[in-house]
């Protein structure tokens, strides 16, 4: 990676760290405040610092593991107890970083949070050029087992490339064989998810859709679709977006109707909200890492 590109990633990383810390502070201090306000504030800070959200701010409480981002105020608020995960993405142009953390709102969750955080650090330390991605998964899995927790086996970290949040290679959260090698110059979002040992250790889809993405460059069906399609492509390229980011154009209800029609046509896809199969709480910590010849460089530290 050339010096200029690295500078951009470093800058995006700085913004992401500030946004994540801001979110953690808000979660601790403004219980009962809505998820909507939390996400709006986090995304606003990203823009103020010169970045763009690379995907909608995700909030996951307890068993809600990924892909929930509120549309509006009435969709719930920060609880007084439990686990609150927040996942933020920042991009400058097509350079993307992705980072997440979990705030324990009751003392019973302190240990799992600490264990998950330590597992992320262990995973990153073992990342270097030539190491197989499955080896990183084994490190994460062993770290969970050592403290009597388990990982979410069907979620993984992912390679990041320009304008692409989910690249070709992934970093599993369990040991796997026959996985590709990490190469110098590659960027990865490493994100172990932990749950309790009595949990299933797997996420399942719900029918809730909160995050969308343009998938095919295919001609929309009518004028309304064309208008929205053009705006999506211009504003978010093919990166994930929230329908609430389009409500300056038309009411949310209309945005959702058109998106649903475009989804049926295969123009956009949606990420269902994921929950732990047995309903047990889940934690998550995530960093974006550039793997250099000399070792890993955390971009979101
Ligand atoms: Co993330």
């Amino acid at each position: 990676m050339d010096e200029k590109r690295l500078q951009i990633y470093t800058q995006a990383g700085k913004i992401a760290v500030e946004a994540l810390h801001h979110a953690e502070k808000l979660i601790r201090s403004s219980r009962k405040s809505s998820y909507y306000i939390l996400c709006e504030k986090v995304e606003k800070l990203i823009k103020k610092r010169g970045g763009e959200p690379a995907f909608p701010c995700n909030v996951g409480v307890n068993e809600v593991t990924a892909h929930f981002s509120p549309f509006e105020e009435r969709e719930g608020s920060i609880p007084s107890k439990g686990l609150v995960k927040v996942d933020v993405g920042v991009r400058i142009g097509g350079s993307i970083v992705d980072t997440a953390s979990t705030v324990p709102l009751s003392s019973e969750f302190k240990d799992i949070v600490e264990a998950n955080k330590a597992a992320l650090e262990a995973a990153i330390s073992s990342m270097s050029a030539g190491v197989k991605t499955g080896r990183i998964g084994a490190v994460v899995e062993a770290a969970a087992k050592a403290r009597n927790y388990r990982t979410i086996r069907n979620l993984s970290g992912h390679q990041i490339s320009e304008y692409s949040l989910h690249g070709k290679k992934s970093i599993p959260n369990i040991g796997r064989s026959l996985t590709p090698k990490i190469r110098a110059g590659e960027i990865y979002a490493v994100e172990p998810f932990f749950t309790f040992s009595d949990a299933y250790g797997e996420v399942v889809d719900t029918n809730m859709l909160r995050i969308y993405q343009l998938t095919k460059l295919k001609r929309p069906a009518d004028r309304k679709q064309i208008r929205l399609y053009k705006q999506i492509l211009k504003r978010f390229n093919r990166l994930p977006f929230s329908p609430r980011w389009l409500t300056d154009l038309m009411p949310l209800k209309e945005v959702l109707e058109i998106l649903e029609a475009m989804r049926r046509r295969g123009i956009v896809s949606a990420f269902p909200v994921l929950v732990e199969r047995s309903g047990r709480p889940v934690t998550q910590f995530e960093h974006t890492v550039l793997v250099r010849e000399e070792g890993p460089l955390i971009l979101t530290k």
Side-chain angles (χ1 to χ4, degrees), residues 55 58 86-89 97-100 158 165 189 191 193 284 286 288:
F55 53 82
N58 280 221
V86 58
D87 193 338
V88 301
V97 297
D98 183 353
T99 183
H158 44 96
L165 182 60
E191 48 179 336
F193 290 82
Q284 172 199 19
E286 178 179 30
T288 298

Side-chain angles (χ1 to χ4, degrees), residues 7-53:
Q7 255 177 34
I8 294 171
Y9 272 105
T10 305
Q11 184 58 23
K14 255 189 200 160
I15 298 170
V17 169
E18 192 185 343
L20 191 69
H21 286 170
H22 186 55
E24 290 171 337
K25 222 165 76 189
L26 288 171
I27 291 164
R28 287 202 176 90
S29 65
S30 11
R31 306 207 189 160
K32 306 244 165 74
S33 164
S34 68
Y35 302 138
Y36 175 84
I37 295 290
L38 172 69
C39 284
E40 287 275 306
K41 282 184 174 166
V42 168
E43 291 165 4
K44 203 171 155 190
L45 180 71
I46 292 170
K47 288 182 188 162
K48 204 172 146 192
R49 294 290 183 263
E52 284 291 332

